[in-house]
């Protein structure tokens, strides 16, 4: 893969390159989308709550959030700062588009 290989690795013309990065980086271990993944940290409406700069800061454990993370989360997020810029940009763009309420569990 090229340096921006993850962002370009899509299964079809309709696939979102940011979703490909989300999947390849196993973000579902810590986060959920559309009820799939770790439901303790849903991202369904992250695009409504945060702008792109704030999302990037949280994804990469930037200075404004690093001291709020436990050691395990900090180490996990710091690896995203080392992604090729095209991959990180695609991931952030994908997360900005997440603007739906999280699904609720059936009662």
């Amino acid at each position: 893969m090229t340096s921006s290989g993850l962002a370009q690795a899509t299964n079809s013309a309709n696939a979102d390159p940011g979703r490909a990065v989300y999947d390849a980086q196993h973000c579902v271990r810590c986060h959920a989308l559309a009820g799939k993944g770790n439901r303790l940290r849903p991202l369904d409406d992250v695009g409504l709550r945060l702008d792109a700069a704030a999302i990037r800061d949280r994804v990469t454990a930037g200075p404004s959030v690093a001291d709020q993370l436990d050691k395990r989360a900090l180490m996990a997020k710091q690896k995203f700062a080392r992604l090729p810029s095209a991959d990180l940009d695609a991931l952030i763009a994908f997360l900005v588009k997440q603007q739906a309420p999280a699904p609720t569990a059936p009662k």
Side-chain angles (χ1 to χ4, degrees):
M1 261 188 217
T2 64
S3 63
S4 63
L6 288 176
Q8 295 173 358
T10 58
N11 293 330
S12 73
N14 297 330
D16 186 312
R19 179 63 191 232
V21 176
Y22 180 89
D23 292 340
Q25 294 300 314
H26 308 287
C27 296
V28 297
R29 290 179 183 163
C30 297
H31 299 284
L33 279 174
K36 295 179 182 173
N38 186 335
R39 293 187 176 134
L40 294 175
R41 296 177 197 92
L43 294 174
D44 298 277
D45 67 345
V46 70
L48 293 174
R49 295 182 285 115
L50 303 170
D51 65 15
I55 292 172
R56 182 179 299 272
D57 201 40
R58 283 165 176 77
V59 167
T60 61
S64 71
V65 297
D67 60 344
Q68 300 168 20
L69 300 170
D70 63 38
K71 185 176 179 178
R72 183 176 177 198
L74 180 63
M75 290 177 62
K77 289 182 172 286
Q78 287 175 333
K79 74 177 184 175
F80 298 116
R82 296 187 297 270
L83 284 173
S85 61
D87 293 344
L88 183 56
D89 292 346
L91 178 61
I92 301 308
F94 171 72
L95 293 173
V96 166
K97 291 187 280 187
Q98 305 312 305
Q99 299 189 0
T104 57
K107 294 180 181 184

